[in-house]
Amino acid sequence: MRLRPKSDYLQKASWVNLYVLTKYWESDIAFYKDEIRFLYGLIDRYFIWMTQDEHIEKVSALSAELNQLDKTFNSLSERMVKHRSRMVLLLENAFVQEEEVFRAEHEVLEDDFKRASVDFRILKRKLFEVTETVMDEEKLQHLLTR
């Protein structure tokens, strides 16, 4: 993901660049949503085998975070579709005042997307760490109770 230059890039970027950037974000969101589906499946697959309350609580909390991120990405996706539609309208009927508002909205959308992307990566790492720990400890617990 690109880092926004400190200059006035968003105020001067071409419509084509902003459109391509928005399409790139939409593609990333589609990928994140696929990963979220995978993570839900991972949680479901191993949750039924958990016996320790501590593990159940950790995974339940992470599942709730994943659910919230899923909603965030759904909202971002809807906002991006509307944003892209507005961009097309502005291209057809360019008004300076509307263009300024659009570019400000673009900046907010970019910030929200970056924040959600970082949150997702952190949550994914936590889920993998917890899953690995739970699998090892639950397997050991299962072997000890035989």
Side-chain angles (χ1 to χ4, degrees), residues 56-71:
I56 293 170
E57 289 172 15
K58 281 182 186 177
V59 172
S60 292
L62 290 173
S63 182
E65 282 185 55
L66 185 63
N67 188 43
Q68 185 56 48
L69 265 173
D70 193 18
K71 289 177 183 177

Side-chain angles (χ1 to χ4, degrees), residues 38-60:
F38 170 80
L39 293 173
Y40 277 135
L42 183 68
I43 290 169
D44 289 344
R45 190 172 306 121
Y46 292 104
F47 193 79
I48 60 172
W49 301 107
M50 290 183 207
T51 58
Q52 298 179 27
D53 289 341
E54 173 188 349
H55 294 159
I56 293 170
E57 289 172 15
K58 281 182 186 177
V59 172
S60 292

Side-chain angles (χ1 to χ4, degrees), residues 63-83:
S63 182
E65 282 185 55
L66 185 63
N67 188 43
Q68 185 56 48
L69 265 173
D70 193 18
K71 289 177 183 177
T72 298
F73 281 120
N74 285 336
S75 172
L76 277 169
S77 181
E78 291 171 8
R79 288 171 55 200
M80 286 187 192
V81 168
K82 289 177 185 175
H83 185 70

Side-chain angles (χ1 to χ4, degrees), residues 8-50:
D8 56 355
Y9 172 79
L10 288 178
Q11 277 56 45
K12 294 190 176 183
S14 73
W15 289 109
V16 171
N17 287 346
L18 294 177
Y19 186 87
V20 168
L21 186 58
T22 304
K23 290 294 286 178
Y24 174 77
W25 294 338
E26 288 176 308
S27 174
D28 277 359
I29 286 175
F31 179 77
Y32 287 139
K33 290 183 73 48
D34 287 342
E35 283 196 313
I36 286 171
R37 273 193 298 278
F38 170 80
L39 293 173
Y40 277 135
L42 183 68
I43 290 169
D44 289 344
R45 190 172 306 121
Y46 292 104
F47 193 79
I48 60 172
W49 301 107
M50 290 183 207

